């Protein structure tokens, strides 16, 4: 079947089965185009909460689909490619976080939403890259164990210097590999451009940026700022959304070409139209979590939502 035939079948099945398709901004363009909603992981899970759909097809990586299930425990959540994990999320372990809590009993565990479900169960509160500074500032605790991204954690620590941070030494490989030198070289070619980066980038890279923010915030900034050219320091998949929102600007990615940029998440690209069709047809690859995991992981998520 060609893509048009696959899309026709997908549309027929989602209507018959009362399903919605959610896609993260880092997904392939053809996946974004068939999605009912596109956004960040938490934004998509909250959309799912408000939906009357019986089935959620989550096109993202595993922790995102898990979060959708935690916040929507009565709905069937399907993940088109269950092998799509997040290397950074996998760097944080349940036993390792428990050990840190024992070593620092006066600390609060603040976990990035990019964590697996078991780590969320031992977290006091969850944050996203968009709301992290606000959430951490709201906490009474003076000591923070931040899991798993050391670079987002250090970025937050610079914004909240009154608190002590113990940082888990995790990182996002694609964002970490984006060097300051690469962006400065692009800046030389485009001297009037603004630089927008994700706080998952390493500290040296973040410090030279004109804007630092979440995926959604980068899209908002890049499409509305006064610069005609914006150098983008995050996953190249957002180029599709940028062009749709404001096609009149020039968006420059490192080694810019479809899926060949420096910041490229292979796991995000493993979801395909064929796989979306397959899970809709067979209702396979369902996210199944033990009830106690769902209940415990929901507590820090709900705490975050109450603050943010």
């Amino acid at each position: 079947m060609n893509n048009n035939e696959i899309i026709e079948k997908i549309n027929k099945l989602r209507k018959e089965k009362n399903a919605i398709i959610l896609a993260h901004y880092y997904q392939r363009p053809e996946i974004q185009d068939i999605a009912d909603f596109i956004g960040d992981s938490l934004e998509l899970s909250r959309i799912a909460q408000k939906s009357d759909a019986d089935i959620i097809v989550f096109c993202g990586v595993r922790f995102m689909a898990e979060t959708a299930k935690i916040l929507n425990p009565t709905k069937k959540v399907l993940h088109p490619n269950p092998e799509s994990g997040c290397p950074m999320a996998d760097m944080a372990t349940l036993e390792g976080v428990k050990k840190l809590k024992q070593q620092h009993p006066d600390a609060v565990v603040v976990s990035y939403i990019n964590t697996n479900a078991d780590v969320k169960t031992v977290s006091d509160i969850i944050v996203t890259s968009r709301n992290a500074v606000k959430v951490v500032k709201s906490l009474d605790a003076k000591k923070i164990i931040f899991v798993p991204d050391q670079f987002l954690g250090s970025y937050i620590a610079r914004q909240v210097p009154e608190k002590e941070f113990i940082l888990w030494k995790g990182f996002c490989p694609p964002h970490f590999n984006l060097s300051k030198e690469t962006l400065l070289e692009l800046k030389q070619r485009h001297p009037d451009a603004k630089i927008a980066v994700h706080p998952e980038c390493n500290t040296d890279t973040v410090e030279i940026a004109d804007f630092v923010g979440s995926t959604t915030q980068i899209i908002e900034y890049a499409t509305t700022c006064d610069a005609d050219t914006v150098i983008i320091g995050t996953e190249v998949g957002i180029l599709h959304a940028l062009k749709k929102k404001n096609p009149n600007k020039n968006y420059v990615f490192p080694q810019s070409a479809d899926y060949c940029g420096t910041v490229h998440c292979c796991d995000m690209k493993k979801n395909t139209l064929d796989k979306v069709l397959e899970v809709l047809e067979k209702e396979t690859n369902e996210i199944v979590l033990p009830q106690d995991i769902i209940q415990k992981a929901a507590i820090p998520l709900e705490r975050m939502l109450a603050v943010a």
Side-chain angles (χ1 to χ4, degrees):
M1 286 188 293
N2 61 38
N3 279 1
N4 289 336
E5 291 171 327
I6 294 172
I7 291 168
E8 187 177 344
K9 283 198 166 192
I10 288 171
N11 289 336
K12 182 173 181 289
L13 282 168
R14 69 170 143 193
K15 186 175 180 181
E16 289 175 358
K17 297 192 175 191
N18 190 28
I20 58 169
I21 299 171
L22 307 179
H24 191 273
Y25 285 120
Y26 297 169
Q27 294 293 294
R28 297 168 178 267
E30 61 270 24
I31 296 289
Q32 294 186 46
D33 286 342
I34 64 161
D36 295 287
F37 300 98
I38 308 164
D40 285 340
S41 55
L42 180 67
E43 179 184 359
L44 292 173
S45 295
R46 295 185 73 178
I47 286 169
Q49 281 183 303
K50 298 174 184 176
S51 168
D52 61 359
D54 297 312
I55 295 174
I56 300 166
V57 179
F58 205 114
C59 299
V61 290
R62 188 183 308 113
F63 80 81
M64 297 179 182
E66 286 181 345
T67 303
K69 182 63 179 179
I70 292 164
L71 293 175
N72 301 275
T74 62
K75 296 178 181 178
K76 182 177 282 190
V77 179
L78 307 178
H79 190 200
N81 192 77
E83 289 76 34
S84 292
C86 171
M88 177 171 65
D90 293 341
M91 290 176 190
T93 64
L94 175 65
E95 291 306 316
V97 175
K98 283 182 175 179
K99 185 176 179 181
L100 267 183
K101 289 181 74 170
Q102 291 172 351
Q103 292 171 349
H104 305 276
D106 55 336
V108 166
V109 176
V110 177
S111 288
Y112 192 15
I113 196 165
N114 298 33
T115 47
N116 295 323
D118 60 345
V119 171
K120 287 182 173 71
T121 66
V122 292
S123 304
D124 293 293
I125 197 163
I126 305 297
V127 298
T128 68
S129 51
R130 184 177 190 125
N131 67 28
V133 172
K134 178 180 180 181
V135 171
V136 170
K137 281 184 175 180
S138 76
L139 301 174
D140 292 332
K142 298 300 182 186
K143 186 184 288 188
I144 306 294
I145 297 170
F146 191 83
V147 179
D149 184 12
Q150 60 183 304
F151 296 106
L152 175 59
S154 64
Y155 173 76
I156 300 164
R158 293 195 297 276
Q159 316 303 312
V160 193
E162 65 272 20
K163 296 184 187 291
E164 178 187 351
F165 283 75
I166 299 109
L167 303 178
W168 189 276
K169 298 304 182 183
F171 59 94
C172 167
H175 282 104
F176 171 74
N177 287 329
L178 178 59
S179 71
K180 173 181 75 172
E181 289 74 22
T182 297
L183 293 184
L184 289 176
E185 183 181 336
L186 288 174
K187 180 73 170 178
Q188 284 185 333
R189 293 187 219 162
H190 306 275
D192 296 327
K194 297 290 188 182
I195 299 175
V197 306
H198 197 284
E200 288 177 17
C201 292
N202 66 71
T203 302
D204 288 345
T205 301
V206 167
E207 287 179 345
I208 66 162
D210 298 291
F211 179 81
V212 182
S214 69
T215 305
T216 301
Q217 288 174 316
I218 289 174
I219 292 171
E220 291 168 354
Y221 172 80
T223 55
T224 60
C225 71
D226 56 8
D228 293 327
T229 299
V230 185
I231 298 166
I232 306 293
T234 193
E235 219 278 349
V236 70
I238 74 165
L239 179 59
H240 192 60
L242 291 168
K243 285 181 174 178
K244 279 193 165 186
K245 191 164 185 179
N246 189 342
N248 299 315
K249 289 201 175 197
N250 181 30
Y251 307 106
V252 179
F253 286 79
Q255 302 174 14
S256 187
D258 284 352
Y259 306 140
C260 295
T262 300
V263 188
H264 168 216
C265 178
C266 298
D267 285 286
M268 281 287 191
K269 302 302 186 285
K270 290 177 181 175
N271 293 306
T272 63
L273 290 176
D274 286 331
K275 291 176 180 178
V276 172
L277 176 58
E278 183 178 356
V279 295
L280 271 173
E281 284 179 329
K282 301 176 182 178
E283 298 186 23
T284 50
N285 301 342
E286 181 179 0
I287 297 293
V288 178
L289 296 171
Q291 194 59 34
D292 65 321
I293 295 285
I294 290 175
Q295 291 174 346
K296 290 177 182 177
I299 293 170
L301 280 164
E302 296 295 346
R303 284 177 182 156
M304 174 190 66
L305 295 175
V307 173

